[in-house]
Amino acid sequence: MCQVIGSAALSGLRRRSMLSAMVGAAALAATGSAVAAPASAQSRPPTAVKGYRTKLVLLGTAGGPVWYAGTDRVGISSALAVGDRYYLIDAGDGVGHRLRASGLGSPGKLVGPLDTLNGIFLTHLHSDHISDVNNLLSLGMSNGVPRNERLPIPVWGPGNRGALPPLFGPPPEPPVVAPDHPTPGTVEMIDLLVRAFATDFNDRARDNRQRVPDQMFEAHDVPIPPEYLDDPNGDPHPRMSPVTFYEDDWVRVSATLVQHAPVFPALAFRFDTEDGSVVFSGDTGTSDNLVELATDADVLVHEVIDRDWVEQQFPEPRSPVDESIIQHLLTAHTTIEEVGPIAERAGVGTLVLNHLVPADAPDRIFRRAQDGFSGRLVVGHDLDHIGVGARTPRR
């Protein structure tokens, strides 16, 4: 479950008031062969690592939909750049501005940064991971998509879960949104977004001779074998081995199910390039599927949540409801104490913490993730660039 306590909990309200204030969350950390990571994403130029053909670029590193005060972190999104192309992993709040500041794509007005985007990959359909997908579809027309040689740009993500999630907590049951179509997957979501903004798309196509979204983007549901999808409300997630579903001249992409119940399907992705491999956990609790996917990867980009912070939102004495919500949060996410041993089991070289919860905590809190991990740890910040593999020799 991608939820943390919102503003009501943070202001000290008791449990009954907090239930209505729960909001999405998770954490992110970054590490790699080389890292450039100045302190403030708002006030600094893009950081860069020289001489790497493949680079991980952290765009937004805040976990959940909270607009945190006192931090420059924006919504969750990452990019993997390979040569002169890049791939976007999730599209949280602020992704367009972060892409512009990252140095990816072409710098010219109306030319980039989406002119070199090769694909969009969505780990799951919680709002903090997809809130700016529509901005890519619509504003993309004025930010490089028409100049992209890759059209239509593929958009990959989870399919329709097939059933509503179970009700958490006591009755009454809330109303069902869109009861005739309550759980659309990626293909259906993109179609619905285009329909919702048809006035804009048609106006710009007819008045400015701009392309329509179907000419620019093509949505796909990640083809997880159906035998792993027949129980969307099962907990834990089914055990499976990775499925390779996408390949082009630069990358091969594999996916597996991860533990983010009740959200389903929730996916992790592995990108294999000639320079090395990078795995994105998405939002997940501990998962053997993820360990298998990440085995011997160069970089694991993993969410993280601070257990102490979660427990502080529910002071003692706690009711049974309080305790159940704490466990609900902690089993759907990975704590600081858990993430290092997960990376160690997978044998990864660098662990990058991302989707940080709480996003306004100091780095020293998340550096405890080094315990149990013998590799390199990076606590991610927006606009960090992390080299993957060996430097390209100078000519």
Side-chain angles (χ1 to χ4, degrees):
M1 170 176 155
C2 183
Q3 294 180 327
V4 295
I5 291 63
S7 58
L10 295 175
S11 62
L13 299 183
R14 291 299 299 161
R15 171 85 315 258
R16 187 172 299 274
S17 299
M18 292 182 201
L19 276 172
S20 63
M22 298 193 62
V23 293
L28 182 150
T31 176
S33 305
V35 182
S40 170
Q42 298 286 3
S43 60
R44 59 181 168 86
T47 63
V49 287
K50 303 290 186 181
Y52 288 89
R53 178 172 54 180
T54 298
K55 294 185 293 185
L56 167 66
V57 181
L58 303 180
L59 299 169
T61 57
V66 175
W67 290 329
Y68 285 93
T71 178
D72 289 335
R73 301 182 189 277
V74 301
I76 189 68
S77 185
S78 305
L80 185 69
V82 188
D84 62 353
R85 310 298 296 181
Y86 71 92
Y87 304 83
L88 188 65
I89 299 88
D90 288 331
D93 183 38
V95 65
H97 294 286
R98 284 292 189 259
L99 279 170
R100 175 62 79 186
S102 72
L104 296 170
S106 298
K109 190 180 297 184
L110 305 182
V111 177
L114 301 179
D115 59 323
T116 60
L117 172 64
N118 249 34
I120 301 169
F121 296 81
L122 307 175
T123 60
H124 64 291
L125 303 185
H126 261 153
S127 57
D128 54 316
H129 292 251
I130 62 169
S131 62
D132 274 12
V133 168
N134 182 70
N135 288 343
L136 298 172
L137 300 177
S138 55
L139 303 182
M141 289 190 289
S142 298
N143 290 282
V145 169
R147 294 175 179 267
N148 195 316
E149 298 176 357
R150 177 65 177 84
L151 300 183
I153 298 166
V155 182
W156 288 92
N160 192 315
R161 83 190 309 275
L164 285 168
L167 182 65
F168 178 72
E173 183 174 349
V176 176
V177 176
D180 58 330
H181 200 59
T183 59
T186 299
V187 170
E188 299 155 308
M189 178 187 72
I190 296 299
D191 177 67
L192 291 166
L193 285 172
V194 170
R195 289 172 179 270
F197 287 83
T199 295
D200 174 75
F201 293 133
N202 285 322
D203 176 81
R204 295 184 188 280
R206 300 176 73 84
D207 189 45
N208 300 321
R209 307 298 297 184
Q210 291 187 346
R211 290 182 172 94
V212 298
D214 286 350
Q215 296 173 296
M216 299 185 294
F217 298 91
E218 185 174 38
H220 307 269
D221 294 339
V222 174
I224 299 297
E227 61 265 30
Y228 302 117
L229 301 175
D230 58 3
D231 185 11
N233 291 328
D235 190 10
H237 61 308
R239 183 73 175 92
M240 66 172 289
S241 291
V243 174
T244 299
F245 66 94
Y246 175 86
E247 190 166 1
D248 62 20
D249 292 342
W250 294 107
V251 300
R252 182 175 68 254
V253 188
S254 305
T256 197
L257 293 170
V258 290
Q259 178 60 24
H260 196 45
V263 171
F264 187 88
L267 304 173
F269 295 124
R270 177 179 178 129
F271 289 74
D272 287 293
T273 78
E274 291 185 7
D275 303 304
S277 31
V278 180
V279 174
F280 298 87
S281 74
D283 283 8
T284 182
T286 58
S287 169
D288 288 340
N289 289 355
L290 176 66
V291 172
E292 182 178 354
L293 181 75
T295 296
D296 297 329
D298 294 87
V299 180
L300 171 60
V301 185
H302 205 296
E303 68 122 278
V304 68
I305 191 168
D306 180 11
R307 173 187 289 271
D308 293 342
W309 180 83
V310 172
E311 293 177 343
Q312 287 167 10
Q313 312 314 309
F314 303 91
E316 300 277 7
R318 298 188 184 114
S319 71
V321 174
D322 291 342
E323 292 289 353
S324 67
I325 292 175
I326 290 172
Q327 294 308 310
H328 203 45
L329 288 167
L330 296 179
T331 57
H333 296 286
T334 303
T335 65
I336 297 169
E337 294 77 17
E338 293 169 327
V339 69
I342 288 171
E344 188 72 12
R345 282 181 60 200
V348 303
T350 298
L351 171 61
V352 177
L353 299 180
N354 189 17
H355 194 275
L356 300 163
V357 176
D360 57 353
D363 284 8
R364 60 178 172 78
I365 298 295
F366 296 107
R367 290 195 190 105
R368 301 190 324 237
Q370 188 72 65
D371 293 345
F373 178 54
S374 59
R376 185 176 187 180
L377 174 71
V378 176
V379 179
H381 286 268
D382 294 16
L383 299 181
D384 282 355
H385 288 219
I386 299 159
V388 178
R391 292 180 187 270
T392 303
R394 293 183 179 180
R395 296 181 180 179

